[in-house]
Amino acid sequence: MDSLYWVSLGAPPTPVRRLEGLGGDVWLKDEGAYGDGGWGGNKVRKLEWLIPEAHRRQKETIVTVGGLGTNWGLACALYGSEHGLETVLALIDQPVDGHVEAQQERLRASGAEIHLTGTKTRTVVSVPWLLASHRKSWFLPAGGSSPVGALGAVEIALELAAQVEAGEIPEPSYVVTAVGSGGTAAGLVLGLELAGLGTKVLGVVVNDTLDLGSKALLRLTRKSARLLSDRGADLPDLDLSGRNLVVVEDQIGDGYGHKTRAGTSAAGRASKKADLDLDPVYTAKAMAGLLELVEGGGRAEGPIVFLDTNGPRP
Ligand SMILES: Cc1ncc(COP(=O)(O)O)c(C=O)c1O
């Protein structure tokens, strides 16, 4: 039977702390702190599983896709090259601001081979050609959100459960995360079920170019669970019907990469009150979703964890 391999790229556990000044009982789990290379955040957890899987498949090049300011592509290039893997990126247009320009600078310096394919259609069409024109190449979906990649977020959930068990944080009613390609939310759903926590995942969708509804996310959750079983894990009976997943799609605004008023305001408040530095594409919109949960009509009860998935390094 094939096993699953894992390589350490950071120092777990990521810290948890209470965030004052945001109303409600809000906590932070700081995934931005994870990763010992030149970039951190939730992509590093995925690469801890994806890099050894690439080696197991005897691949030398990862071909993948993302927006012009892709955090995933940058993490893939930086951590991949440390482990003998080339990265080839096909990049789709997104609104360019200072944040994206800085990221493109980092991408150019990362050693990745970059193709500006522009539209989604041109990107999809160019992938087979990129795969054929590189040695031992392997395609990974946007955001590294394959069943293997999502295991990184299963670990985040198990780590959170251990922190609850140790009394570092009360059992949350919700964990809030941005949903850009789905792997983080899908893996959290599986990990929380495995840990036996009643915590729900609030997935705040920030990308309108992929199907990231709850059905699609749960398909990925189930594929990751099947992968674990196929590779030898003895899983308990799991309820993967989606009872612990809530997906909201009302924070996207004009689309992927477009700032929203709610996101900008949430990021300003998080910076001023809780000393959090949020990015406009993902975490600002996720924080807007969290504030809606805390202050909106439904008003969630109980502690809420904000997963900060953004990992720039000074
Ligand atoms: C900073 C940041 N937060 C959140 C996400 C969303 O994670 P996922 O792609 O697993 O949905 C991404 C990537 O898409 C990201 O770069």
Side-chain angles (χ1 to χ4, degrees), residues 33-303:
Y34 199 76
D36 44 28
W39 192 256
N42 59 334
K43 308 306 180 195
V44 185
R45 299 271 198 170
K46 297 176 178 179
L47 287 162
E48 292 190 319
W49 295 92
L50 290 166
I51 287 173
E53 181 67 11
H55 289 149
R56 192 186 73 82
R57 294 170 183 238
Q58 302 188 323
K59 301 298 184 185
E60 294 179 358
T61 307
I62 290 175
V63 174
T64 189
V65 297
L68 282 177
T70 175
N71 296 323
W72 153 243
L74 180 62
C76 195
L78 294 175
Y79 291 90
S81 70
E82 278 179 18
H83 290 83
L85 295 168
E86 303 273 332
T87 296
V88 176
L89 299 173
L91 300 185
I92 302 175
D93 288 341
Q94 75 178 84
V96 176
D97 56 8
H99 164 83
V100 172
E101 277 170 1
Q103 190 71 344
Q104 286 195 288
E105 199 59 43
R106 294 187 195 102
L107 281 164
R108 278 192 290 271
S110 71
E113 183 181 309
I114 297 173
H115 298 263
L116 300 177
T117 41
T119 63
K120 186 170 173 179
T121 310
R122 230 182 302 139
T123 305
V124 169
V125 168
S126 61
V127 164
W129 176 78
L130 291 173
L131 283 167
S133 56
H134 290 84
R135 258 177 68 79
K136 299 191 176 183
S137 54
W138 186 36
F139 176 71
L140 288 178
S145 286
S146 70
V148 175
L151 297 179
V154 172
E155 281 199 306
I156 297 174
L158 296 178
E159 201 175 285
L160 179 66
Q163 288 166 319
V164 169
E165 176 83 21
E168 288 174 47
I169 178 171
E171 181 169 337
S173 57
Y174 283 92
V175 179
V176 180
T177 184
V179 178
S181 61
T184 304
L188 287 174
V189 166
L190 176 56
L192 291 169
E193 257 316 301
L194 278 171
L197 288 185
T199 308
K200 291 191 169 102
V201 176
L202 176 70
V204 182
V205 177
V206 301
N207 187 354
D208 57 338
T209 69
L210 297 172
D211 175 8
L212 296 168
S214 52
K215 270 196 188 150
L217 296 184
L218 289 167
R219 267 199 301 276
L220 183 54
T221 302
R222 291 192 200 106
K223 281 185 187 169
S224 293
R226 207 170 317 127
L227 175 76
L228 286 174
S229 302
D230 290 350
R231 303 276 183 103
D234 187 12
L235 299 186
D237 266 350
L238 295 172
D239 181 343
L240 301 179
S241 62
R243 64 176 176 167
N244 66 345
L245 174 65
V246 178
V247 176
V248 292
E249 304 194 55
D250 56 357
Q251 298 292 345
I252 301 177
D254 287 342
Y256 176 70
H258 289 264
K259 285 184 184 164
T260 59
R261 203 178 290 173
T264 305
S265 151
R269 219 168 124 186
S271 163
K272 206 157 111 202
K273 304 273 185 181
D275 199 23
L276 275 187
D277 186 17
L278 305 182
D279 77 286
V281 180
Y282 300 97
T283 45
K285 289 180 177 177
M287 181 56 85
L290 180 147
L291 293 175
E292 181 62 31
L293 186 67
V294 174
E295 296 170 346
R299 279 182 194 255
E301 300 285 322

